[in-house]
Amino acid sequence: MDKAALDIVYHGTDKAVSVTQDLTLLTSGTNGTNISWVSSDSTVNALTGKVTRPAKTAADKLDTHEIFVPFVPISGRVRFCVTLAALSVPL
């Protein structure tokens, strides 16, 4: 089932606990279902996956994403949490 196979695609060495680059948010499942993303705020664009990281003077920011998968007869939401790493202070 597509819902069980959902994931966020990270780039470089990024992972859920430290995101520094834009995300790839898949829009269709392996079985052809449409996937809609919703972000808890505008730090990650739910349509493009573009990430806006916190300022280097701020703390890392937790961002929650929900995915809605309309799949008949079973539809549902899957929640992902990612932490956007604050911009680095140059050495």
Side-chain angles (χ1 to χ4, degrees):
M1 170 184 5
D2 283 348
K3 189 169 127 176
L6 289 174
D7 205 357
I8 293 175
V9 179
Y10 301 98
H11 299 280
T13 59
D14 283 6
K15 50 191 167 198
V17 295
S18 181
V19 174
T20 63
Q21 301 178 52
D22 293 344
L23 303 170
T24 298
L25 306 175
L26 304 177
T27 56
S28 62
T30 55
N31 295 310
T33 55
N34 293 321
I35 300 170
S36 299
W37 292 81
V38 177
S39 181
S40 61
D41 62 40
S42 61
T43 56
V44 175
N45 184 306
L47 296 176
T48 66
K50 176 146 181 65
V51 169
T52 303
R53 293 170 57 195
K56 57 186 160 192
T57 57
D60 293 350
K61 181 170 186 351
L62 182 65
D63 192 41
T64 302
H65 301 275
E66 281 194 338
I67 309 163
F68 178 67
V69 186
F71 188 74
V72 179
I74 300 169
S75 67
R77 294 180 185 269
V78 177
R79 182 172 288 186
F80 289 93
C81 293
V82 297
T83 301
L84 304 180
L87 294 169
S88 313
V89 177
L91 298 175

